[in-house]
Amino acid sequence: MIIYGVALLAICTLAGVILGDLLGALLGVQSNVGGVGIAMILLICARLWTHRSGGMSKECELGVGFWGAMYIPVVVAMAAQQNVVTALHGGPVALIAAVGSVLLCGVTIAAISRTNKGAPLPALESEIAPAAAPAVAPAGGR
Amino acid sequence: MWEMIEKGLAHNGLITAFALVGVVTWVSVLLSRHLTFGRVHSSAIAIVIGLILAWIGGTISGGQKGLADLALFSGVGLMGGAMLRDFAIVATAFEVQATEARKAGMIGAVSLLLGTVLPFIVGAAVAWAFGYRDAVSITTIGAGAVTYIVGPVTGAAIGASSDVVALSIATGLIKAILVMVFTPMSARFLGLDNPRSAMVFGGLAGTVSGVTAGLAATDRRLVPYGALTATFHTGLGCLMGPSILYFCVRGLVG
């Protein structure tokens, strides 16, 4: 039954949102703390749990899969209702923040890919990375 | 006649929104194929069109909710609202195989953490440099530099204003487009030739559409590995953005 999948997704989302609100109240902030993240973890756990008892039916998975596939269209609708007019007055904040973080991440990926082991080592290199970033920056420039 | 059509569309707002987004997606698929020859993923183009429509709607109505302020397209507000958005994001976690996630191991976890914290620091620093001084705005823009999902989710959770949320989406969007376009060109510099580095890439580069599109254009076999860590990336960002990162920023700026 497709509705089982949709209901499972709904229950995980609601539980995550409520737990997030609860966590927010416990931490003393008037906000939801990581509700979506908690809901995602709950859904992964639910899937693992049902795997043990034979797994879900194809239709049940379809109920969740449909909404997963609707993710990009929903994001498009979300983009279409943003206050873009005001955001454009914010100036080049978005551009500079995006370019900066892509460069920093690119250098870090290269560093981790090359050293490939030892967790703390890449972290150290990435801290030096910002200074080195302009030199190696136009990675795509060749 | 037109009045009847208008009434029909306005009374079925959500259905109109589905149709509208479908048309936007179709147009962006065509643009992606014929204008950029598949280099820019159609979903990124669709989102850009969405932002342009929001700008048009906001200019016509003078309101704060973009296209959703026009009565004809009020359903866009429901479709792209927090309720369905969170619902759809949670659903994407279903595609993550926890057993495969373990293969990513320590390096995947480290890259995920770095991929959240490093862009956040850059975004927050830029926000500070451009005169934002309240913790909520700085956190939201910083979270936008993580992905264009983490930005609005964080902003909604801590109560950021709509223009700051739009700015954070724009940041995440530009980042996703940069990742898509420059990944194939910089694949050698990034060492992107094995599943392990693809997982590191997914964790650090973040945005799922950017990572999957970028990897698809580099080497199709790497896509699932990058997507695996990238899917966790959004969840981790949504978890850390309104909590730890917000508290850190609030501690710093008071």
Side-chain angles (χ1 to χ4, degrees), chain A residues 5-109:
Chain A
V6 181
L8 174 71
L9 178 59
I11 291 166
C12 288
T13 308
L14 291 175
V17 168
I18 293 168
L19 282 174
D21 279 336
L22 213 66
L23 195 59
L26 282 177
L27 293 170
V29 284
Q30 306 286 324
S31 71
N32 187 296
V33 176
V36 173
I38 295 171
M40 285 173 120
I41 292 167
L42 284 177
L43 189 66
I44 293 171
C45 291
R47 191 192 185 146
L48 288 179
W49 186 73
T50 51
H51 257 285
R52 243 173 252 166
S53 51
M56 298 177 191
S57 70
K58 269 261 149 35
E59 282 203 318
C60 181
E61 289 194 5
L62 263 176
V64 185
F66 172 77
W67 287 104
M70 282 297 281
Y71 160 79
I72 295 292
V74 163
V75 169
V76 172
M78 180 187 76
Q81 57 153 329
Q82 294 303 318
N83 197 351
V84 178
V85 177
T86 319
L88 287 180
H89 291 296
V93 179
L95 188 67
I96 293 176
V99 171
S101 56
V102 166
L103 289 181
L104 182 55
C105 285
V107 171
T108 312
I109 293 167

Side-chain angles (χ1 to χ4, degrees), chain B residues 2 10 14 31 33 35-37 46 54 57 78 88 111 135 141 157 170 232 235:
Chain B
W2 172 244
L14 185 58
L31 285 176
R33 196 176 300 155
L35 203 68
T36 71
F37 300 102
L78 183 55
S111 67
I141 295 171
F232 276 111

Side-chain angles (χ1 to χ4, degrees), chain A residues 29 31-34 40 43 47 68 77-84 86 93-94 98 102 105-106 110 113-114 116 140 142, chain B residues 50 54 64-65 67 76-77 80-81 85 90-91 94 130 157 162-163 165 169 171 175 185 189-190 196-197 204 238 243 247:
Chain A
V29 284
S31 71
N32 187 296
V33 176
M40 285 173 120
L43 189 66
R47 191 192 185 146
M78 180 187 76
Q81 57 153 329
Q82 294 303 318
N83 197 351
V84 178
T86 319
V93 179
V102 166
C105 285
S113 290
R114 270 151 218 209
N116 220 353
R142 63 186 176 84
Chain B
Q64 308 210 322
K65 296 203 74 187
L67 200 61
V76 171
R85 188 201 56 205
V90 173
F94 203 61
F130 276 84
S162 173
D163 55 315
V165 171
I169 292 176
T171 307
K175 185 184 166 190
M185 300 181 194
F189 169 74
L190 299 175
R196 191 189 173 103
S197 63
L204 263 157
C238 291
S243 53
F247 296 141

